[in-house]
Amino acid sequence: MLQTFSAIVTSPPILSHPIEYLKGVGPQRADLLKKELGLFTFNDLLHHFPYRHLDRTRFHEIIDLNPSIEFAQVRGKIIGHELIGEKSSKRLVAQLKDATGIIELTWFKGLTWVQKSLYEGSTYTVFGKLGFFMGKPQMVHPEIEAAGSEATGVKAHLEPIYATTEKLKSRGLGGRQIANLTTSLYGLISEKDLPENLPEGLLKEHRLMPRFEAYRQVHFPASTEKFEAAVQRLKFEELFITQLRLAIVRQQRHSYSKGVVFEKVGDLFLEFYNKHLPFQLTGAQKRVLKEIRQDTATGHQMNRLLQGDVGSGKTIVALLAMLLAADNGFQACLMAPTEILAQQHFAAISALLQEMNIEVGLLTGSTKTAERKKLLPRLADGSVSLLVGTHALIEEVVQFKSLGLVVIDEQHRFGVAQRARLWKKAIVPPHVLVMTATPIPRTLAMTAYGDLDYSVMDELPPGRQPITTVHRFDDYRVSVLDFIRTEIERGRQAYIIFPLIEESDKVDYENLMAGYEHVKAAFPEPKYWISMLHGRQPTDQKEWNMQRFVRGEAHIMVSTTVIEVGVNVPNASVMVIENAEKFGLSQLHQLRGRVGRGAEKSYCILMTSPKLSHDARERIKTMVSTNNGFEIAEKDLELRGPGDIEGTRQSGALNLKLADLVKDKAILEKAKIAAEGIVERDPELESPEHLRLKQYLMSLKGKTLWSKIS
Ligand code: ADP
Ligand code: MG
């Protein structure tokens, strides 16, 4: 059947065949495989790797079974079985005995059929998930086979166990049956279907197993050693190919992209730097500025990711870069993820540039029509040099005269498509500086953002005192409020944050309101003033509440996470986070970053209920033990896995099947060095040695890398 099929349809590669054409599948099971496991083609099945292997030659003795063993295989005699219970609780219970003890086996389904196949006194091999009841071992719905029958057929030494679902199991597609499908797939393919893609030199240098062999060994290993070697090979391939594609994108950008040239450091930059800069730049700030200066002078477009922990002073770097653009006759814009942040940036930049001859504009969703009408022509004729705003900046009607630099603050809030629209606002694409305070672990930066150039500001401005972080249970709230009172008496301000992750979440919203009333009762007017901020307020109300807090007229800011990013009120010294267990690590770190921005000692108090999940406890523990954003990011990656890290979810670069960015750091480093070496020596992959690599890359068409931002 299969041969005929592929012969008629000008033989598409066998691995792209739809799963229903595999022997033993058919349309109905195919539907299930698609829905339940996302297996559409032969290739998908090939990449449905077993999650473990069972050594069928080894058996547990019943006496050795203990709760630390997840799956067990035992061999023994059935010494009794009976049907017990009525109706829905009806079940078949059997006892299996080996030389050391007895295990109980239970079935709830297929009772008659199972019972018919059990013979008292016969020997069986039983495999299944181990459980304990009153200290005695038991298995529910184990796989059971009459001893001896497993010796027939050519079974691998290590039998693959595949992930499946309850639904699939009930339709006869348990782990075993999936193994049968994989086995029949292997009967159909040969080396030409999975040709080697890595250069010979690389295989030798890293002692990698050939590709076809590796796939086979991952599914049906001949030995544990072979399995390990196969996994190494496939992980290396996966990481290497990702790194290679990133290296190529980066290399092409460096050699072909056209960018506007910022030739000189001019009057605006120098005047600001010498006369108005309110402080000495840190070493890290100077270094990043130098990198930006070099990038923008080359004639190629800059695509730089600037990562700097909360409070490291990214804004001033952005401003200096923008002045550099202006000095060279170009306009620059700064995009912020929220209205509040855009307004704050605008206020800060306007204040800093107050005595200079340069026009700064603000454009957000709530900019009034009359103001827009004034602003837009001045932007189009170049009178406005610097524009600050939200995503309102990317609307079609916003036209620049000569946009030379785009700074994106807190980039993970911007979608790719949104960014792409910005570049269309100039003939030569503007330079791009993406700033983020979300520290990205190195391994992740190397993959998810590997095509960008990358700067790190790992130094805080001098004079900052480390923030003290403590964890308190809810019943401690009175003392926490007392503490806030003392800080207010010393002239400081405080934030109290409530979770409102989804604006539509009713319970969270009610909690916020109740919390606000509670705080108000504890801090009565007119002695104390409290601002409140949440996503449901109209913009002017948000703005009014924020400004009152910025000016120091409100003592406490009760807010949701709308203030998470970027907000800068250096006088605030206390950050209380309610229901801290509901927040992710990077969010907690961002929120904490709202204090400790001035010279005063600051505190972060994480309030939780006494009942915490394991992960929540780990998050809180991490927050209490470190202020270092990179350490926190590593922990976050470890707890959540890369797929969940904010902003990287859509990243195709992270679609790793086998490799794990936490555990396989060492392989990643090697793969990166190897990939960069090849691109450096042979950027077009023209040498015969790289031919198969090139062919393989071309076959991956359509899988684009989202972080390419130009
Ligand atoms: P972030 O990197 O989190 O965006 P900001 O740019 O908001 O940080 O800066 C945080 C605070 O540090 C601001 O109040 C800013 O004025 C101040 N700051 C920035 N650079 C320096 C410096 N070199 N010396 C002293 N203070 C600085
Ligand atoms: Mg900032």
Side-chain angles (χ1 to χ4, degrees):
M1 260 295 276
L2 253 158
Q3 268 77 17
T4 350
F5 169 78
S6 51
I8 294 167
V9 188
T10 61
S11 61
I14 188 161
L15 286 175
S16 67
H17 287 192
I19 195 82
E20 44 264 59
Y21 293 109
L22 189 64
K23 193 172 137 232
V25 180
Q28 273 162 19
R29 287 174 148 194
D31 264 2
L32 278 173
L33 286 169
K34 288 173 197 171
K35 277 198 201 107
E36 298 283 302
L37 295 174
L39 304 179
F40 289 83
T41 62
F42 286 14
N43 192 51
D44 294 337
L45 180 64
L46 180 73
H47 286 91
H48 187 59
F49 296 121
Y51 65 91
R52 61 191 294 274
H53 286 88
L54 176 70
D55 187 343
R56 284 285 178 177
T57 62
R58 286 172 54 188
F59 296 91
H60 288 99
E61 305 224 285
I62 292 175
I63 198 170
D64 292 336
L65 296 178
N66 66 66
S68 72
I69 300 170
E70 200 187 350
F71 290 91
Q73 174 164 263
V74 293
R75 199 207 299 248
K77 285 193 169 68
I78 291 287
I79 55 168
H81 55 83
E82 60 175 334
L83 285 169
I84 54 176
E86 286 299 318
K87 292 193 179 140
S88 65
S89 73
K90 196 166 169 189
R91 59 197 186 274
L92 171 66
V93 179
Q95 287 80 34
L96 183 98
K97 182 177 183 302
D98 72 0
T100 68
I102 294 175
I103 182 169
E104 193 170 274
L105 314 172
T106 308
W107 287 267
F108 293 95
K109 282 182 198 154
L111 306 185
T112 356
W113 186 79
V114 178
Q115 196 173 27
K116 256 195 244 160
S117 63
L118 293 182
Y119 296 97
E120 265 185 55
S122 292
T123 303
Y124 293 85
T125 296
V126 173
F127 167 75
K129 198 164 177 177
L130 188 61
F132 281 84
F133 183 69
M134 314 257 297
K136 290 189 185 139
Q138 56 164 327
M139 281 183 195
V140 176
H141 280 252
E143 289 176 19
I144 183 160
E145 249 174 314
S149 69
E150 77 267 22
T152 59
V154 268
K155 219 156 244 170
H157 171 59
L158 291 165
E159 198 177 305
I161 315 245
Y162 294 91
T164 181
T165 64
E166 286 306 318
K167 200 156 178 190
L168 283 171
K169 268 192 213 161
S170 72
R171 308 286 175 90
L173 282 171
R176 260 278 166 78
Q177 286 78 13
I178 293 184
N180 290 339
L181 296 183
T182 314
T183 310
S184 41
L185 175 62
Y186 265 87
L188 299 173
I189 60 174
S190 64
E191 201 167 342
K192 72 170 178 12
D193 301 306
L194 272 173
E196 185 53 66
N197 52 7
L198 301 181
E200 209 51 53
L202 210 57
L203 293 178
K204 283 221 181 75
E205 188 189 337
H206 295 275
R207 284 195 238 117
L208 299 170
M209 188 182 272
R211 190 157 184 250
F212 182 68
E213 165 84 0
Y215 272 99
R216 179 191 287 286
Q217 292 291 346
V218 161
H219 287 283
F220 308 107
S223 67
T224 319
E225 293 72 32
K226 284 260 162 66
F227 174 73
E228 297 294 339
V231 170
Q232 276 305 96
R233 143 80 208 208
L234 293 181
K235 283 181 173 176
F236 185 93
E237 173 185 326
E238 186 170 45
L239 293 168
F240 171 79
I241 296 293
T242 319
Q243 288 304 312
L244 187 69
R245 296 172 80 195
L246 292 167
I248 290 171
V249 171
R250 217 163 36 220
Q251 195 276 337
Q252 288 179 344
R253 203 186 62 240
H254 287 161
S255 38
Y256 302 120
S257 77
K258 271 217 169 85
V260 293
V261 184
F262 297 170
E263 273 168 354
K264 57 170 195 230
V265 175
D267 294 345
L268 290 165
F269 186 100
L270 290 173
E271 185 191 341
F272 180 76
Y273 196 91
N274 295 326
K275 289 198 196 143
H276 307 298
L277 192 63
F279 35 65
Q280 281 262 326
L281 292 185
T282 64
Q285 285 169 323
K286 281 186 192 158
R287 192 184 64 235
V288 172
L289 264 177
K290 209 181 209 171
E291 286 166 347
I292 294 172
R293 168 90 188 97
Q294 279 163 359
D295 283 358
T296 53
T298 58
H300 300 303
Q301 186 210 19
M302 171 174 80
N303 265 234
R304 189 165 281 280
L305 175 67
L306 167 56
Q307 219 189 306
D309 209 345
V310 276
S312 59
K314 293 183 291 294
T315 317
I316 203 82
V317 172
L319 177 58
L320 282 159
M322 289 165 82
L323 290 175
L324 187 63
D327 269 339
N328 289 278
F330 291 96
Q331 292 164 295
C333 68
L334 170 61
M335 278 217 283
T338 64
E339 183 110 20
I340 290 176
L341 201 50
Q343 256 143 9
Q344 179 187 290
H345 278 322
F346 177 71
I349 289 175
S350 304
L352 285 165
L353 299 181
Q354 205 173 15
E355 288 165 38
M356 290 181 49
N357 184 22
I358 181 167
E359 195 171 329
V360 188
L362 172 69
L363 184 67
T364 70
S366 64
T367 304
K368 302 264 164 8
T369 316
E371 284 168 53
R372 268 172 185 256
K373 275 197 178 138
K374 259 194 280 175
L375 177 67
L376 291 178
R378 298 190 64 74
L379 207 54
D381 71 14
S383 323
V384 170
S385 303
L386 310 184
L387 183 65
V388 179
T390 55
H391 52 266
L393 289 189
I394 64 178
E395 288 164 19
E396 293 294 334
V397 291
V398 181
Q399 292 300 334
F400 294 85
K401 177 163 182 256
S402 55
L403 183 60
L405 171 70
V406 177
V407 183
I408 300 176
D409 199 17
E410 300 305 339
Q411 69 90 37
H412 54 265
R413 303 275 172 116
F414 281 101
V416 196
Q418 285 178 313
R419 287 189 245 147
R421 279 168 68 184
L422 251 180
W423 322 153
K424 292 192 191 131
K425 295 190 182 296
I427 299 158
V428 179
H431 297 299
V432 179
L433 179 65
V434 171
M435 308 198 295
T436 177
T438 307
I440 305 164
R442 205 179 120 67
T443 50
L444 205 56
M446 276 161 59
T447 41
Y449 302 97
D451 56 330
L452 306 183
D453 296 308
Y454 169 59
S455 305
V456 181
M457 279 195 340
D458 47 6
E459 187 184 345
L460 293 181
R464 297 276 171 82
Q465 299 190 44
I467 303 165
T468 298
T469 303
V470 294
H471 173 206
R472 295 284 180 259
F473 292 126
D474 290 340
D475 55 9
Y476 206 82
R477 182 163 290 103
V478 178
S479 323
V480 171
L481 294 177
D482 282 344
F483 178 70
I484 294 178
R485 204 166 286 121
T486 340
E487 282 292 297
I488 292 176
E489 261 145 40
R490 299 178 51 230
R492 305 281 85 79
Q493 291 162 282
Y495 292 97
I496 304 179
I497 306 301
F498 286 82
L500 190 69
I501 317 294
E502 296 287 339
E503 289 300 339
S504 55
D505 190 324
K506 201 160 161 261
V507 178
D508 277 352
Y509 187 72
E510 280 164 7
N511 279 346
L512 168 73
M513 291 307 160
Y516 175 63
E517 291 307 326
H518 190 218
V519 176
K520 247 172 102 169
F523 295 91
E525 293 172 4
K527 185 159 183 216
Y528 301 99
W529 295 100
I530 300 167
S531 269
M532 178 163 68
L533 211 58
H534 60 80
R536 292 186 182 187
Q537 290 166 325
T539 309
D540 45 357
Q541 202 177 329
K542 270 191 222 157
E543 175 59 12
W544 182 80
N545 275 293
M546 190 66 218
Q547 283 315 323
R548 221 160 54 129
F549 190 68
V550 170
R551 286 195 301 265
E553 292 158 20
H555 302 96
I556 299 177
M557 168 66 88
V558 173
S559 168
T560 64
T561 50
V562 287
I563 58 121
E564 176 186 337
V565 175
V567 167
N568 187 31
V569 180
N571 188 49
S573 66
V574 186
M575 166 61 66
V576 177
I577 304 176
E578 296 278 353
N579 290 116
E581 69 269 34
K582 283 199 176 185
F583 296 90
L585 259 181
S586 70
Q587 236 181 347
L588 289 172
H589 181 63
Q590 283 287 338
L591 286 167
R592 177 168 62 185
R594 298 311 108 218
V595 296
R597 302 175 78 84
E600 298 297 330
K601 171 84 192 154
S602 293
Y603 305 86
C604 175
I605 303 169
L606 305 171
M607 307 286 297
T608 73
S609 71
K611 266 198 189 155
L612 292 178
S613 71
H614 168 265
D615 280 13
R617 219 174 313 127
E618 285 292 304
R619 290 196 294 271
I620 305 281
K621 215 167 80 187
T622 307
M623 286 297 293
V624 170
S625 66
T626 180
N627 274 310
N628 182 316
F630 285 90
E631 271 174 41
I632 290 173
E634 293 283 352
K635 188 73 192 178
D636 201 23
L637 182 62
E638 192 186 307
L639 286 177
R640 295 201 293 167
D644 275 345
I645 300 288
E646 202 168 353
T648 61
R649 223 158 305 178
Q650 324 95 307
S651 168
L654 284 177
N655 228 338
L656 299 173
K657 273 272 178 194
L658 271 179
D660 175 320
L661 291 181
V662 179
K663 296 193 194 117
D664 299 320
K665 251 186 221 176
I667 309 180
L668 175 59
E669 299 276 356
K670 277 191 214 152
K672 183 178 161 72
I673 293 170
E676 284 173 351
I678 287 179
V679 173
E680 205 163 286
R681 290 193 303 275
D682 182 12
E684 304 289 330
L685 303 181
E686 284 166 335
S687 83
E689 197 204 359
H690 297 147
L691 181 67
R692 61 194 189 197
L693 195 53
K694 190 168 191 169
Q695 279 168 345
Y696 181 73
L697 285 183
M698 313 250 275
S699 75
L700 296 176
K701 60 184 180 293
K703 298 184 185 167
T704 52
L705 295 162
W706 76 282
S707 63
K708 182 171 185 276
I709 56 178
S710 58

